[in-house]
Amino acid sequence: MLAIFARIKPALRKSITFDNDTAFAQHGLLQSMRAMATWFCDAYASWQKGGVENANGRLRRWLPRHIDIDRLSDAEIQDIVITANLTPRKCLGFKTPFQAILKQLDKDAQIRFSCTCCASPQNPRSAILKV
């Protein structure tokens, strides 16, 4: 986690909220090495981390509980990630998460992507995302 947060500007990584799990026992390192406040949810209080629960619910559209994630290819997982990050959100003023983070980073970007699996000269199946 330290390495991940090292790549994010300090202004965008002020705090983080964790579940009460032993995996987060080293949370103090985030405080001392990354100047981040760490918080913990009360037991069985999922509403205290609403953003995470909302994201989990969205991901369940593509990854129902019965699916074995280990059987998915990297490409399939990347498709899910890209789709989720290119879906506009009401809480972001109907911008996509990707657009919102680029705006916070003060980046001006235009991204072009295409679906090569079903593209043809008559139907390029491509889109452009402008920020």
Side-chain angles (χ1 to χ4, degrees):
M1 247 192 292
L2 288 171
I4 291 169
F5 284 114
R7 299 187 324 218
I8 300 173
K9 288 184 178 183
L12 297 175
R13 58 174 162 93
K14 295 180 180 183
S15 69
I16 187 167
T17 303
F18 295 115
D19 282 332
N20 290 307
D21 189 301
T22 57
F24 306 117
Q26 300 281 329
H27 71 93
L29 292 175
L30 288 173
Q31 292 175 322
S32 62
M33 296 178 75
R34 300 287 180 250
M36 293 176 65
T38 57
W39 304 90
F40 287 89
C41 296
D42 293 323
Y44 305 104
S46 60
W47 62 89
Q48 292 178 348
K49 53 183 178 63
V52 171
E53 292 301 319
N54 182 280
N56 289 345
R58 289 175 174 274
L59 289 173
R60 290 283 174 217
R61 295 175 187 169
W62 299 283
L63 301 170
R65 292 189 189 278
H66 69 273
I67 286 184
D68 182 359
I69 295 174
D70 291 332
R71 293 180 176 251
L72 296 176
S73 69
D74 288 347
E76 289 171 312
I77 291 172
Q78 286 301 314
D79 285 346
I80 293 168
V81 170
I82 289 169
T83 301
N85 284 314
L86 292 177
T87 302
R89 310 283 170 82
K90 182 178 179 182
C91 65
L92 297 175
F94 297 98
K95 289 187 171 88
T96 69
F98 192 72
Q99 289 171 308
I101 193 71
L102 286 176
K103 184 174 181 179
Q104 285 294 313
L105 294 171
D106 200 27
K107 301 287 183 188
D108 183 23
Q110 179 174 326
I111 296 158
R112 181 175 290 228
F113 59 95
S114 64
C115 174
T116 56
C117 63
C118 51
S120 69
Q122 296 81 23
N123 183 15
R125 304 279 296 181
S126 66
I128 298 174
L129 173 65
K130 293 182 179 180
V131 180

PDB file of all heavy atoms in Angstrom, residues 32-62:
ATOM      1  N   SER A  32       2.818   7.645   9.310  1.00  0.00           N
ATOM      2  CA  SER A  32       4.169   8.173   9.473  1.00  0.00           C
ATOM      3  C   SER A  32       4.895   8.414   8.154  1.00  0.00           C
ATOM      4  O   SER A  32       5.614   9.400   8.022  1.00  0.00           O
ATOM      5  CB  SER A  32       4.994   7.244  10.366  1.00  0.00           C
ATOM      6  OG  SER A  32       5.125   5.980   9.772  1.00  0.00           O
ATOM      7  N   MET A  33       4.715   7.543   7.172  1.00  0.00           N
ATOM      8  CA  MET A  33       5.481   7.662   5.930  1.00  0.00           C
ATOM      9  C   MET A  33       4.759   8.430   4.824  1.00  0.00           C
ATOM     10  O   MET A  33       5.410   8.928   3.907  1.00  0.00           O
ATOM     11  CB  MET A  33       5.865   6.276   5.425  1.00  0.00           C
ATOM     12  CG  MET A  33       6.799   5.544   6.387  1.00  0.00           C
ATOM     13  SD  MET A  33       7.220   3.892   5.816  1.00  0.00           S
ATOM     14  CE  MET A  33       8.379   4.287   4.517  1.00  0.00           C
ATOM     15  N   ARG A  34       3.447   8.506   4.882  1.00  0.00           N
ATOM     16  CA  ARG A  34       2.692   9.187   3.822  1.00  0.00           C
ATOM     17  C   ARG A  34       1.816  10.324   4.357  1.00  0.00           C
ATOM     18  O   ARG A  34       1.036  10.906   3.614  1.00  0.00           O
ATOM     19  CB  ARG A  34       1.807   8.195   3.060  1.00  0.00           C
ATOM     20  CG  ARG A  34       2.563   7.069   2.392  1.00  0.00           C
ATOM     21  CD  ARG A  34       3.324   7.547   1.175  1.00  0.00           C
ATOM     22  NE  ARG A  34       4.038   6.438   0.580  1.00  0.00           N
ATOM     23  CZ  ARG A  34       5.360   6.315   0.615  1.00  0.00           C
ATOM     24  NH1 ARG A  34       6.110   7.223   1.184  1.00  0.00           N
ATOM     25  NH2 ARG A  34       5.950   5.271   0.074  1.00  0.00           N
ATOM     26  N   ALA A  35       1.900  10.604   5.647  1.00  0.00           N
ATOM     27  CA  ALA A  35       1.133  11.694   6.278  1.00  0.00           C
ATOM     28  C   ALA A  35      -0.371  11.555   6.016  1.00  0.00           C
ATOM     29  O   ALA A  35      -1.055  12.522   5.732  1.00  0.00           O
ATOM     30  CB  ALA A  35       1.639  13.054   5.808  1.00  0.00           C
ATOM     31  N   MET A  36      -0.863  10.331   6.108  1.00  0.00           N
ATOM     32  CA  MET A  36      -2.280  10.061   5.881  1.00  0.00           C
ATOM     33  C   MET A  36      -2.961   9.725   7.200  1.00  0.00           C
ATOM     34  O   MET A  36      -2.422   8.980   8.003  1.00  0.00           O
ATOM     35  CB  MET A  36      -2.464   8.884   4.915  1.00  0.00           C
ATOM     36  CG  MET A  36      -2.003   9.165   3.516  1.00  0.00           C
ATOM     37  SD  MET A  36      -2.145   7.710   2.454  1.00  0.00           S
ATOM     38  CE  MET A  36      -3.920   7.492   2.422  1.00  0.00           C
ATOM     39  N   ALA A  37      -4.149  10.257   7.387  1.00  0.00           N
ATOM     40  CA  ALA A  37      -4.963   9.867   8.537  1.00  0.00           C
ATOM     41  C   ALA A  37      -5.607   8.524   8.214  1.00  0.00           C
ATOM     42  O   ALA A  37      -6.044   8.295   7.088  1.00  0.00           O
ATOM     43  CB  ALA A  37      -6.038  10.910   8.805  1.00  0.00           C
ATOM     44  N   THR A  38      -5.633   7.623   9.181  1.00  0.00           N
ATOM     45  CA  THR A  38      -6.280   6.330   8.973  1.00  0.00           C
ATOM     46  C   THR A  38      -7.452   6.201   9.928  1.00  0.00           C
ATOM     47  O   THR A  38      -7.379   6.616  11.088  1.00  0.00           O
ATOM     48  CB  THR A  38      -5.286   5.160   9.193  1.00  0.00           C
ATOM     49  OG1 THR A  38      -4.731   5.254  10.497  1.00  0.00           O
ATOM     50  CG2 THR A  38      -4.180   5.188   8.175  1.00  0.00           C
ATOM     51  N   TRP A  39      -8.523   5.654   9.418  1.00  0.00           N
ATOM     52  CA  TRP A  39      -9.753   5.487  10.175  1.00  0.00           C
ATOM     53  C   TRP A  39     -10.190   4.034  10.066  1.00  0.00           C
ATOM     54  O   TRP A  39      -9.873   3.364   9.097  1.00  0.00           O
ATOM     55  CB  TRP A  39     -10.860   6.391   9.612  1.00  0.00           C
ATOM     56  CG  TRP A  39     -10.482   7.829   9.557  1.00  0.00           C
ATOM     57  CD1 TRP A  39      -9.875   8.483   8.531  1.00  0.00           C
ATOM     58  CD2 TRP A  39     -10.669   8.798  10.582  1.00  0.00           C
ATOM     59  NE1 TRP A  39      -9.676   9.792   8.833  1.00  0.00           N
ATOM     60  CE2 TRP A  39     -10.160  10.026  10.095  1.00  0.00           C
ATOM     61  CE3 TRP A  39     -11.216   8.757  11.861  1.00  0.00           C
ATOM     62  CZ2 TRP A  39     -10.182  11.187  10.841  1.00  0.00           C
ATOM     63  CZ3 TRP A  39     -11.243   9.929  12.600  1.00  0.00           C
ATOM     64  CH2 TRP A  39     -10.734  11.115  12.095  1.00  0.00           C
ATOM     65  N   PHE A  40     -10.969   3.592  11.039  1.00  0.00           N
ATOM     66  CA  PHE A  40     -11.492   2.233  11.018  1.00  0.00           C
ATOM     67  C   PHE A  40     -12.997   2.266  11.204  1.00  0.00           C
ATOM     68  O   PHE A  40     -13.519   3.025  12.024  1.00  0.00           O
ATOM     69  CB  PHE A  40     -10.859   1.376  12.126  1.00  0.00           C
ATOM     70  CG  PHE A  40      -9.452   1.015  11.831  1.00  0.00           C
ATOM     71  CD1 PHE A  40      -8.415   1.844  12.228  1.00  0.00           C
ATOM     72  CD2 PHE A  40      -9.151  -0.134  11.123  1.00  0.00           C
ATOM     73  CE1 PHE A  40      -7.109   1.522  11.937  1.00  0.00           C
ATOM     74  CE2 PHE A  40      -7.837  -0.459  10.826  1.00  0.00           C
ATOM     75  CZ  PHE A  40      -6.816   0.370  11.234  1.00  0.00           C
ATOM     76  N   CYS A  41     -13.689   1.439  10.428  1.00  0.00           N
ATOM     77  CA  CYS A  41     -15.135   1.302  10.571  1.00  0.00           C
ATOM     78  C   CYS A  41     -15.439   0.511  11.833  1.00  0.00           C
ATOM     79  O   CYS A  41     -14.653  -0.329  12.259  1.00  0.00           O
ATOM     80  CB  CYS A  41     -15.723   0.530   9.390  1.00  0.00           C
ATOM     81  SG  CYS A  41     -15.533   1.351   7.826  1.00  0.00           S
ATOM     82  N   ASP A  42     -16.599   0.763  12.396  1.00  0.00           N
ATOM     83  CA  ASP A  42     -17.081  -0.082  13.475  1.00  0.00           C
ATOM     84  C   ASP A  42     -17.425  -1.445  12.886  1.00  0.00           C
ATOM     85  O   ASP A  42     -17.752  -1.557  11.697  1.00  0.00           O
ATOM     86  CB  ASP A  42     -18.321   0.531  14.136  1.00  0.00           C
ATOM     87  CG  ASP A  42     -17.990   1.827  14.868  1.00  0.00           C
ATOM     88  OD1 ASP A  42     -16.901   1.908  15.466  1.00  0.00           O
ATOM     89  OD2 ASP A  42     -18.821   2.752  14.836  1.00  0.00           O
ATOM     90  N   ALA A  43     -17.358  -2.473  13.704  1.00  0.00           N
ATOM     91  CA  ALA A  43     -17.682  -3.823  13.236  1.00  0.00           C
ATOM     92  C   ALA A  43     -19.110  -3.879  12.697  1.00  0.00           C
ATOM     93  O   ALA A  43     -20.027  -3.324  13.298  1.00  0.00           O
ATOM     94  CB  ALA A  43     -17.503  -4.826  14.372  1.00  0.00           C
ATOM     95  N   TYR A  44     -19.289  -4.511  11.567  1.00  0.00           N
ATOM     96  CA  TYR A  44     -20.584  -4.712  10.909  1.00  0.00           C
ATOM     97  C   TYR A  44     -21.289  -3.389  10.590  1.00  0.00           C
ATOM     98  O   TYR A  44     -22.508  -3.306  10.616  1.00  0.00           O
ATOM     99  CB  TYR A  44     -21.495  -5.611  11.757  1.00  0.00           C
ATOM    100  CG  TYR A  44     -20.839  -6.921  12.091  1.00  0.00           C
ATOM    101  CD1 TYR A  44     -20.326  -7.153  13.359  1.00  0.00           C
ATOM    102  CD2 TYR A  44     -20.686  -7.904  11.116  1.00  0.00           C
ATOM    103  CE1 TYR A  44     -19.694  -8.346  13.661  1.00  0.00           C
ATOM    104  CE2 TYR A  44     -20.054  -9.102  11.413  1.00  0.00           C
ATOM    105  CZ  TYR A  44     -19.562  -9.318  12.682  1.00  0.00           C
ATOM    106  OH  TYR A  44     -18.934 -10.492  12.972  1.00  0.00           O
ATOM    107  N   ALA A  45     -20.529  -2.363  10.279  1.00  0.00           N
ATOM    108  CA  ALA A  45     -21.110  -1.055   9.952  1.00  0.00           C
ATOM    109  C   ALA A  45     -20.656  -0.649   8.548  1.00  0.00           C
ATOM    110  O   ALA A  45     -19.920   0.317   8.379  1.00  0.00           O
ATOM    111  CB  ALA A  45     -20.697  -0.026  11.002  1.00  0.00           C
ATOM    112  N   SER A  46     -21.091  -1.402   7.561  1.00  0.00           N
ATOM    113  CA  SER A  46     -20.634  -1.172   6.187  1.00  0.00           C
ATOM    114  C   SER A  46     -21.015   0.214   5.664  1.00  0.00           C
ATOM    115  O   SER A  46     -20.337   0.739   4.780  1.00  0.00           O
ATOM    116  CB  SER A  46     -21.191  -2.245   5.256  1.00  0.00           C
ATOM    117  OG  SER A  46     -22.594  -2.233   5.275  1.00  0.00           O
ATOM    118  N   TRP A  47     -22.050   0.827   6.214  1.00  0.00           N
ATOM    119  CA  TRP A  47     -22.459   2.155   5.750  1.00  0.00           C
ATOM    120  C   TRP A  47     -21.393   3.207   6.076  1.00  0.00           C
ATOM    121  O   TRP A  47     -21.391   4.292   5.504  1.00  0.00           O
ATOM    122  CB  TRP A  47     -23.801   2.557   6.363  1.00  0.00           C
ATOM    123  CG  TRP A  47     -23.750   2.662   7.848  1.00  0.00           C
ATOM    124  CD1 TRP A  47     -23.418   3.773   8.583  1.00  0.00           C
ATOM    125  CD2 TRP A  47     -24.014   1.628   8.783  1.00  0.00           C
ATOM    126  NE1 TRP A  47     -23.455   3.488   9.916  1.00  0.00           N
ATOM    127  CE2 TRP A  47     -23.829   2.162  10.087  1.00  0.00           C
ATOM    128  CE3 TRP A  47     -24.394   0.301   8.679  1.00  0.00           C
ATOM    129  CZ2 TRP A  47     -24.004   1.433  11.241  1.00  0.00           C
ATOM    130  CZ3 TRP A  47     -24.578  -0.425   9.848  1.00  0.00           C
ATOM    131  CH2 TRP A  47     -24.384   0.133  11.090  1.00  0.00           C
ATOM    132  N   GLN A  48     -20.459   2.899   6.965  1.00  0.00           N
ATOM    133  CA  GLN A  48     -19.411   3.853   7.300  1.00  0.00           C
ATOM    134  C   GLN A  48     -18.355   3.949   6.207  1.00  0.00           C
ATOM    135  O   GLN A  48     -17.494   4.810   6.262  1.00  0.00           O
ATOM    136  CB  GLN A  48     -18.755   3.473   8.634  1.00  0.00           C
ATOM    137  CG  GLN A  48     -19.692   3.643   9.800  1.00  0.00           C
ATOM    138  CD  GLN A  48     -19.073   3.221  11.117  1.00  0.00           C
ATOM    139  OE1 GLN A  48     -18.019   2.597  11.153  1.00  0.00           O
ATOM    140  NE2 GLN A  48     -19.736   3.566  12.202  1.00  0.00           N
ATOM    141  N   LYS A  49     -18.405   3.080   5.253  1.00  0.00           N
ATOM    142  CA  LYS A  49     -17.515   3.157   4.096  1.00  0.00           C
ATOM    143  C   LYS A  49     -18.360   3.016   2.830  1.00  0.00           C
ATOM    144  O   LYS A  49     -18.143   2.143   2.004  1.00  0.00           O
ATOM    145  CB  LYS A  49     -16.397   2.124   4.176  1.00  0.00           C
ATOM    146  CG  LYS A  49     -16.834   0.704   4.386  1.00  0.00           C
ATOM    147  CD  LYS A  49     -15.626  -0.198   4.510  1.00  0.00           C
ATOM    148  CE  LYS A  49     -16.003  -1.612   4.778  1.00  0.00           C
ATOM    149  NZ  LYS A  49     -16.758  -2.312   3.793  1.00  0.00           N
ATOM    150  N   GLY A  50     -19.284   3.926   2.701  1.00  0.00           N
ATOM    151  CA  GLY A  50     -20.265   3.872   1.625  1.00  0.00           C
ATOM    152  C   GLY A  50     -19.680   3.815   0.230  1.00  0.00           C
ATOM    153  O   GLY A  50     -20.190   3.118  -0.638  1.00  0.00           O
ATOM    154  N   GLY A  51     -18.588   4.547  -0.019  1.00  0.00           N
ATOM    155  CA  GLY A  51     -17.981   4.528  -1.349  1.00  0.00           C
ATOM    156  C   GLY A  51     -17.487   3.146  -1.738  1.00  0.00           C
ATOM    157  O   GLY A  51     -17.662   2.707  -2.864  1.00  0.00           O
ATOM    158  N   VAL A  52     -16.889   2.462  -0.793  1.00  0.00           N
ATOM    159  CA  VAL A  52     -16.382   1.116  -1.058  1.00  0.00           C
ATOM    160  C   VAL A  52     -17.540   0.160  -1.303  1.00  0.00           C
ATOM    161  O   VAL A  52     -17.512  -0.655  -2.229  1.00  0.00           O
ATOM    162  CB  VAL A  52     -15.497   0.622   0.109  1.00  0.00           C
ATOM    163  CG1 VAL A  52     -15.150  -0.842  -0.047  1.00  0.00           C
ATOM    164  CG2 VAL A  52     -14.247   1.464   0.202  1.00  0.00           C
ATOM    165  N   GLU A  53     -18.565   0.249  -0.472  1.00  0.00           N
ATOM    166  CA  GLU A  53     -19.719  -0.639  -0.634  1.00  0.00           C
ATOM    167  C   GLU A  53     -20.421  -0.377  -1.960  1.00  0.00           C
ATOM    168  O   GLU A  53     -20.868  -1.307  -2.626  1.00  0.00           O
ATOM    169  CB  GLU A  53     -20.686  -0.483   0.539  1.00  0.00           C
ATOM    170  CG  GLU A  53     -20.128  -0.983   1.856  1.00  0.00           C
ATOM    171  CD  GLU A  53     -19.744  -2.456   1.817  1.00  0.00           C
ATOM    172  OE1 GLU A  53     -20.473  -3.274   1.237  1.00  0.00           O
ATOM    173  OE2 GLU A  53     -18.682  -2.783   2.371  1.00  0.00           O
ATOM    174  N   ASN A  54     -20.491   0.891  -2.363  1.00  0.00           N
ATOM    175  CA  ASN A  54     -21.092   1.226  -3.652  1.00  0.00           C
ATOM    176  C   ASN A  54     -20.269   0.626  -4.785  1.00  0.00           C
ATOM    177  O   ASN A  54     -20.815   0.035  -5.722  1.00  0.00           O
ATOM    178  CB  ASN A  54     -21.199   2.739  -3.800  1.00  0.00           C
ATOM    179  CG  ASN A  54     -21.854   3.140  -5.097  1.00  0.00           C
ATOM    180  OD1 ASN A  54     -21.211   3.147  -6.142  1.00  0.00           O
ATOM    181  ND2 ASN A  54     -23.120   3.460  -5.040  1.00  0.00           N
ATOM    182  N   ALA A  55     -18.955   0.761  -4.701  1.00  0.00           N
ATOM    183  CA  ALA A  55     -18.081   0.191  -5.737  1.00  0.00           C
ATOM    184  C   ALA A  55     -18.203  -1.328  -5.778  1.00  0.00           C
ATOM    185  O   ALA A  55     -18.251  -1.920  -6.863  1.00  0.00           O
ATOM    186  CB  ALA A  55     -16.635   0.606  -5.487  1.00  0.00           C
ATOM    187  N   ASN A  56     -18.263  -1.958  -4.603  1.00  0.00           N
ATOM    188  CA  ASN A  56     -18.430  -3.412  -4.563  1.00  0.00           C
ATOM    189  C   ASN A  56     -19.729  -3.827  -5.245  1.00  0.00           C
ATOM    190  O   ASN A  56     -19.768  -4.799  -6.002  1.00  0.00           O
ATOM    191  CB  ASN A  56     -18.419  -3.928  -3.128  1.00  0.00           C
ATOM    192  CG  ASN A  56     -17.060  -3.861  -2.496  1.00  0.00           C
ATOM    193  OD1 ASN A  56     -16.053  -3.693  -3.173  1.00  0.00           O
ATOM    194  ND2 ASN A  56     -17.013  -3.965  -1.181  1.00  0.00           N
ATOM    195  N   GLY A  57     -20.801  -3.095  -4.976  1.00  0.00           N
ATOM    196  CA  GLY A  57     -22.085  -3.397  -5.613  1.00  0.00           C
ATOM    197  C   GLY A  57     -22.025  -3.253  -7.121  1.00  0.00           C
ATOM    198  O   GLY A  57     -22.580  -4.070  -7.867  1.00  0.00           O
ATOM    199  N   ARG A  58     -21.340  -2.218  -7.592  1.00  0.00           N
ATOM    200  CA  ARG A  58     -21.186  -2.023  -9.037  1.00  0.00           C
ATOM    201  C   ARG A  58     -20.391  -3.159  -9.664  1.00  0.00           C
ATOM    202  O   ARG A  58     -20.719  -3.646 -10.729  1.00  0.00           O
ATOM    203  CB  ARG A  58     -20.500  -0.691  -9.326  1.00  0.00           C
ATOM    204  CG  ARG A  58     -21.356   0.515  -9.052  1.00  0.00           C
ATOM    205  CD  ARG A  58     -20.542   1.789  -9.248  1.00  0.00           C
ATOM    206  NE  ARG A  58     -21.372   2.949  -9.120  1.00  0.00           N
ATOM    207  CZ  ARG A  58     -22.075   3.484 -10.115  1.00  0.00           C
ATOM    208  NH1 ARG A  58     -22.036   2.942 -11.301  1.00  0.00           N
ATOM    209  NH2 ARG A  58     -22.823   4.537  -9.911  1.00  0.00           N
ATOM    210  N   LEU A  59     -19.301  -3.570  -8.987  1.00  0.00           N
ATOM    211  CA  LEU A  59     -18.476  -4.653  -9.523  1.00  0.00           C
ATOM    212  C   LEU A  59     -19.226  -5.977  -9.563  1.00  0.00           C
ATOM    213  O   LEU A  59     -18.959  -6.823 -10.416  1.00  0.00           O
ATOM    214  CB  LEU A  59     -17.188  -4.795  -8.710  1.00  0.00           C
ATOM    215  CG  LEU A  59     -16.189  -3.670  -8.911  1.00  0.00           C
ATOM    216  CD1 LEU A  59     -15.022  -3.822  -7.943  1.00  0.00           C
ATOM    217  CD2 LEU A  59     -15.696  -3.621 -10.347  1.00  0.00           C
ATOM    218  N   ARG A  60     -20.181  -6.178  -8.666  1.00  0.00           N
ATOM    219  CA  ARG A  60     -20.960  -7.415  -8.654  1.00  0.00           C
ATOM    220  C   ARG A  60     -21.814  -7.551  -9.915  1.00  0.00           C
ATOM    221  O   ARG A  60     -22.286  -8.639 -10.232  1.00  0.00           O
ATOM    222  CB  ARG A  60     -21.844  -7.494  -7.412  1.00  0.00           C
ATOM    223  CG  ARG A  60     -21.057  -7.710  -6.146  1.00  0.00           C
ATOM    224  CD  ARG A  60     -20.609  -9.147  -6.037  1.00  0.00           C
ATOM    225  NE  ARG A  60     -19.726  -9.324  -4.889  1.00  0.00           N
ATOM    226  CZ  ARG A  60     -18.694 -10.113  -4.878  1.00  0.00           C
ATOM    227  NH1 ARG A  60     -18.381 -10.829  -5.945  1.00  0.00           N
ATOM    228  NH2 ARG A  60     -17.945 -10.229  -3.817  1.00  0.00           N
ATOM    229  N   ARG A  61     -22.017  -6.470 -10.663  1.00  0.00           N
ATOM    230  CA  ARG A  61     -22.741  -6.577 -11.942  1.00  0.00           C
ATOM    231  C   ARG A  61     -21.974  -7.480 -12.904  1.00  0.00           C
ATOM    232  O   ARG A  61     -22.560  -8.191 -13.697  1.00  0.00           O
ATOM    233  CB  ARG A  61     -22.906  -5.193 -12.577  1.00  0.00           C
ATOM    234  CG  ARG A  61     -23.778  -4.259 -11.787  1.00  0.00           C
ATOM    235  CD  ARG A  61     -23.779  -2.888 -12.408  1.00  0.00           C
ATOM    236  NE  ARG A  61     -24.495  -1.946 -11.557  1.00  0.00           N
ATOM    237  CZ  ARG A  61     -24.483  -0.641 -11.734  1.00  0.00           C
ATOM    238  NH1 ARG A  61     -23.801  -0.111 -12.738  1.00  0.00           N
ATOM    239  NH2 ARG A  61     -25.154   0.145 -10.917  1.00  0.00           N
ATOM    240  N   TRP A  62     -20.648  -7.382 -12.848  1.00  0.00           N
ATOM    241  CA  TRP A  62     -19.803  -8.184 -13.742  1.00  0.00           C
ATOM    242  C   TRP A  62     -19.206  -9.398 -13.041  1.00  0.00           C
ATOM    243  O   TRP A  62     -18.801 -10.342 -13.700  1.00  0.00           O
ATOM    244  CB  TRP A  62     -18.660  -7.334 -14.293  1.00  0.00           C
ATOM    245  CG  TRP A  62     -19.144  -6.178 -15.095  1.00  0.00           C
ATOM    246  CD1 TRP A  62     -19.627  -6.210 -16.375  1.00  0.00           C
ATOM    247  CD2 TRP A  62     -19.215  -4.825 -14.675  1.00  0.00           C
ATOM    248  NE1 TRP A  62     -19.995  -4.955 -16.768  1.00  0.00           N
ATOM    249  CE2 TRP A  62     -19.746  -4.075 -15.740  1.00  0.00           C
ATOM    250  CE3 TRP A  62     -18.886  -4.154 -13.506  1.00  0.00           C
ATOM    251  CZ2 TRP A  62     -19.943  -2.706 -15.680  1.00  0.00           C
ATOM    252  CZ3 TRP A  62     -19.087  -2.796 -13.432  1.00  0.00           C
ATOM    253  CH2 TRP A  62     -19.613  -2.089 -14.508  1.00  0.00           C
TER     254      TRP A  62
END
